[in-house]
Amino acid sequence: MITVELLEKYGVIKKSFDKNDIIFEEGNLPSNYYQIISGEIKMSNYNDDGREFIQGIFYNGQSFGEPPLFLNQKYPANAIAVENTELFILPKENFMKLLEENPKVSIQIIENLAQRLYYKSVMAAEISTHEPEHRVLKLIDHGIAYFNFQKDKNGYLINFTRQQIGDLTGLRVETVIRTIKALEKKGELKIINRKVYR
Amino acid sequence: MITVELLEKYGVIKKSFDKNDIIFEEGNLPSNYYQIISGEIKMSNYNDDGREFIQGIFYNGQSFGEPPLFLNQKYPANAIAVENTELFILPKENFMKLLEENPKVSIQIIENLAQRLYYKSVMAAEISTHEPEHRVLKLIDHGIAYFNFQKDKNGYLINFTRQQIGDLTGLRVETVIRTIKALEKKGELKIINRKVYR
DNA sequence: ATCGTTTTATGATTAAAGTCATAAAATGTA
DNA sequence: TACATTTTATGACTTTAATCATAAAACGAT
């Protein structure tokens, strides 16, 4: 996350997006740095028969879509507003200038990319070698640590739909529903009127 | 990749590892920056019943294991020498000092992490939403672009065993063998005395 | 308050990759 | 060169999550 002052110094603009608006699409060449002011963005892929895989979900203060920007490569996924969202948008040239002139920001970017790489490493191993219960729990526990889920008397409220959990773990909704029930039976989760707590 | 001169200026040491030696293990806290002089390193996880998932394979000039170093987190995977390997090892404090005093290196690190994140994004989507043939082809095409596979009159020689392809794509050896045969039948690959060409 | 959409839910069936068993070929090593 | 290990290979079978069908509950928008 880059401070507002610094972004403004380099000519950032603000832009609003409605729910379901597309920020950029898979295959496009990147030309901006994006940072969320408010709202929620998901990055995801669709395969040939329309099945979605969610690469990540991003909230206030987080940036997204930088890797292709640094590599001059096409976006490997789409970015879509999950709800009404306001973004800071900084053109690539200005962003690169900001980086050059502010070495400390590079360190922040590095830490941010490192964090995301870490998540992807963990989930990649989960998805390819573990059973549904393990995958779902790992995702939930990651979510508690990194997507500020709220804690109340029942525990942490897992603020994802079953479909989202499926799209993040590579499972189908029905499988997620059954898996969550099985995890509840084992005492790993609580389900209180359809909401999941951990 | 950081230049030898710069690494030496900050007190790098060289160390040799035999085939199958462990550089670091999942769960360890990181204390060094690693860069390959010669040889080959794999980073991988093992699940409870011993099944392996290879996060990545690294060659000459490449560094590995930085994300947890930046985050002060435990390694999410093991690093093992696939063959006899010589490494540059730079203690964390020296590495951080090097970064601070050489901002241009930060940009290189960013590009490197971005590249790896890009690969993980592509493979994550593949593994969770595509069939074996698609996954295997994607891995092979990525390999051609990023792990310098040799080209000869038959095409690019895919320098991975079936087992490695399986461990990189989340498939079992038998499935990989059958998938490769199917891809050959479709004309996507060639198999010339058991070696795979694309 | 109503209607359309999304989310959660459950049962029956199917398909696809995993598992198991076995072996030949290739490779590496003493 | 001989022997052990690794890699590739193939057939039979099993398991597990996907698929398909259907529906109730919840949510959102007008």
Side-chain angles (χ1 to χ4, degrees):
Chain A
M1 183 195 146
I2 303 179
T3 62
V4 183
E5 301 79 55
L6 202 51
L7 287 169
E8 283 175 344
K9 191 172 156 194
Y10 286 84
V12 81
I13 62 162
K14 285 186 195 182
K15 196 168 170 192
S16 293
F17 292 85
D18 290 333
K19 185 175 173 175
N20 297 324
D21 276 359
I22 295 169
I23 312 341
F24 56 72
E25 284 181 281
E26 184 175 349
N28 289 171
L29 276 170
S31 50
N32 298 295
Y33 167 81
Y34 298 98
Q35 184 172 307
I36 300 175
I37 300 169
S38 66
E40 187 178 340
I41 297 289
K42 72 172 172 188
M43 289 205 52
S44 63
N45 297 95
Y46 296 92
N47 77 355
D48 305 328
D49 33 72
R51 182 163 178 199
E52 185 175 18
F53 175 73
I54 300 179
Q55 295 283 353
I57 299 183
F58 302 90
Y59 304 91
N60 305 181
Q62 298 185 294
S63 57
F64 58 91
E66 304 97 310
L69 190 66
F70 288 114
L71 303 168
N72 298 310
Q73 280 179 323
K74 293 172 181 172
Y75 283 116
N78 309 285
I80 296 167
V82 177
E83 52 185 54
N84 295 351
T85 297
E86 208 177 4
L87 296 182
F88 278 128
I89 301 184
L90 187 65
K92 180 175 173 172
E93 302 68 41
N94 306 32
F95 174 62
M96 290 306 180
K97 193 147 178 278
L98 185 158
L99 270 195
E100 270 173 43
E101 295 173 0
N102 301 273
K104 282 192 181 160
V105 174
S106 295
I107 303 291
Q108 281 185 293
I109 300 277
I110 287 175
E111 284 172 5
N112 185 243
L113 293 179
Q115 186 64 69
R116 278 146 67 183
L117 202 43
Y118 197 94
Y119 166 73
K120 288 225 176 287
S121 298
V122 171
M123 285 310 295
E126 280 297 320
I127 288 175
S128 61
T129 63
H130 289 91
E131 337 72 72
E133 292 187 16
H134 206 281
R135 290 195 221 178
V136 168
L137 265 193
K138 200 82 178 187
L139 175 76
I140 285 175
D141 288 342
H142 173 269
I144 288 170
Y146 299 106
F147 312 128
N148 47 346
F149 288 148
Q150 305 298 322
K151 189 170 190 174
D152 69 16
K153 61 179 178 342
N154 299 313
Y156 287 97
L157 169 61
I158 307 310
N159 203 19
F160 285 146
T161 64
R162 271 59 163 177
Q163 182 64 64
Q164 284 179 317
I165 293 174
D167 293 341
L168 284 157
T169 53
L171 298 168
R172 311 253 74 171
V173 215
E174 299 95 323
T175 304
V176 173
I177 289 167
R178 288 166 184 141
T179 300
I180 286 177
K181 300 229 149 157
L183 286 168
E184 189 202 21
K185 199 162 291 175
K186 291 185 180 173
E188 298 280 0
L189 299 173
K190 270 175 268 183
I191 304 177
I192 297 165
N193 60 14
R194 300 179 167 220
K195 299 203 175 304
V196 179
Y197 292 86
R198 163 88 169 157
Chain B
M1 183 198 148
I2 304 179
T3 61
V4 184
E5 301 78 56
L6 203 50
L7 285 170
E8 284 175 344
K9 191 173 155 194
Y10 286 84
V12 80
I13 62 160
K14 284 186 196 183
K15 196 169 172 192
S16 294
F17 292 85
D18 289 333
K19 183 175 175 177
N20 297 324
D21 275 359
I22 295 169
I23 315 334
F24 56 73
E25 282 180 284
E26 183 175 351
N28 286 171
L29 276 171
S31 51
N32 297 297
Y33 166 81
Y34 299 98
Q35 184 173 308
I36 301 175
I37 301 170
S38 66
E40 187 179 342
I41 297 289
K42 72 172 174 188
M43 288 204 52
S44 63
N45 298 94
Y46 296 92
N47 77 356
D48 305 328
D49 34 72
R51 182 163 178 201
E52 183 174 21
F53 175 73
I54 300 178
Q55 295 282 354
I57 299 182
F58 302 91
Y59 304 91
N60 303 179
Q62 298 185 297
S63 56
F64 58 92
E66 305 95 309
L69 189 67
F70 288 114
L71 303 167
N72 299 310
Q73 280 179 323
K74 292 173 184 170
Y75 282 116
N78 310 285
I80 295 166
V82 176
E83 52 186 55
N84 295 350
T85 297
E86 209 178 4
L87 296 181
F88 279 128
I89 301 183
L90 187 65
K92 180 174 174 171
E93 300 70 41
N94 307 31
F95 175 62
M96 291 305 181
K97 193 147 180 277
L98 184 158
L99 269 194
E100 269 172 43
E101 294 173 359
N102 301 274
K104 280 190 181 159
V105 174
S106 294
I107 303 292
Q108 281 185 294
I109 300 278
I110 288 175
E111 284 172 6
N112 184 242
L113 293 179
Q115 186 64 67
R116 276 147 65 182
L117 202 43
Y118 197 95
Y119 165 73
K120 287 225 177 285
S121 297
V122 171
M123 286 310 295
E126 281 296 321
I127 288 175
S128 61
T129 64
H130 289 91
E131 337 71 73
E133 292 187 16
H134 207 280
R135 288 195 222 178
V136 168
L137 266 193
K138 201 81 178 188
L139 175 77
I140 285 175
D141 288 342
H142 173 269
I144 288 170
Y146 301 104
F147 312 127
N148 49 347
F149 288 149
Q150 305 299 321
K151 189 171 191 174
D152 68 18
K153 61 179 179 345
N154 299 314
Y156 289 97
L157 170 61
I158 309 311
N159 203 17
F160 285 146
T161 65
R162 270 67 163 170
Q163 182 65 62
Q164 284 179 314
I165 292 174
D167 293 341
L168 283 157
T169 54
L171 298 168
R172 312 251 75 169
V173 215
E174 298 95 323
T175 305
V176 173
I177 289 167
R178 288 166 182 141
T179 299
I180 287 177
K181 299 234 150 155
L183 286 167
E184 189 202 22
K185 201 163 289 176
K186 291 186 181 175
E188 298 281 0
L189 298 173
K190 270 176 270 183
I191 305 177
I192 296 166
N193 58 18
R194 301 180 164 216
K195 299 202 174 304
V196 179
Y197 292 85
R198 163 86 169 158

